[in-house]
Amino acid sequence: MAITERTVHSRWAGGLRADVRAGGHDLVVDEPESVGGTNAGPQPTELLLAAIASCFTLAVAWSAGKRGIELSDLDVAATGRYDGPRFTSFRVTVKAATPPGTDLDALVAAARRVCYVTRTLEGSPGIEIVVE
């Protein structure tokens, strides 16, 4: 499998706001008013949690589809535990209505293998910061 890259751009829009362009979509990222932002969008840490929750949701749905299992009411929550200026752990909670005899735990195990975001975080990738 060839190594590929994906890039997302962010521009400072004043205050504590950033305007982000990702996959052809525009996003606003901001901080709450209580810390000096204008609350015009989610915080960066909330976007990280959103990436976890949404990727795992799609991974469970994909795993179910591959097995011909129809899910309903699939809901995934991602919770991060703060310790100072970083998350020390994440908890992913999966709920879904499944047909009788369906093992949701097996679907979740399959989803763990295909969720890019949680697999990336479990592997602690390096971060290279380049100044141009």
Side-chain angles (χ1 to χ4, degrees), residues 13-89:
L16 294 177
R17 176 181 167 152
D19 292 336
V20 178
R21 184 79 177 155
H25 302 278
D26 294 317
L27 307 167
V28 172
V29 180
D30 201 352
E31 293 288 341
E33 291 176 4
S34 62
V35 296
T38 62
N39 202 35
Q43 296 173 271
T45 51
E46 291 170 326
L47 289 177
L48 176 58
L49 294 173
I52 293 169
S54 61
C55 190
F56 211 81
T57 298
L58 298 178
V60 171
W62 183 85
S63 297
K66 288 280 287 185
R67 290 159 181 76
I69 298 169
E70 290 192 33
L71 295 178
S72 60
D73 300 322
L74 176 58
D75 183 276
V76 176
T79 304
R81 181 178 295 262
Y82 284 109
D83 181 16
R86 66 183 295 267
F87 285 121
T88 57
S89 64

Side-chain angles (χ1 to χ4, degrees), residues 7-8 56 63 119:
T7 301
V8 171
F56 211 81
S63 297
R119 285 180 57 102

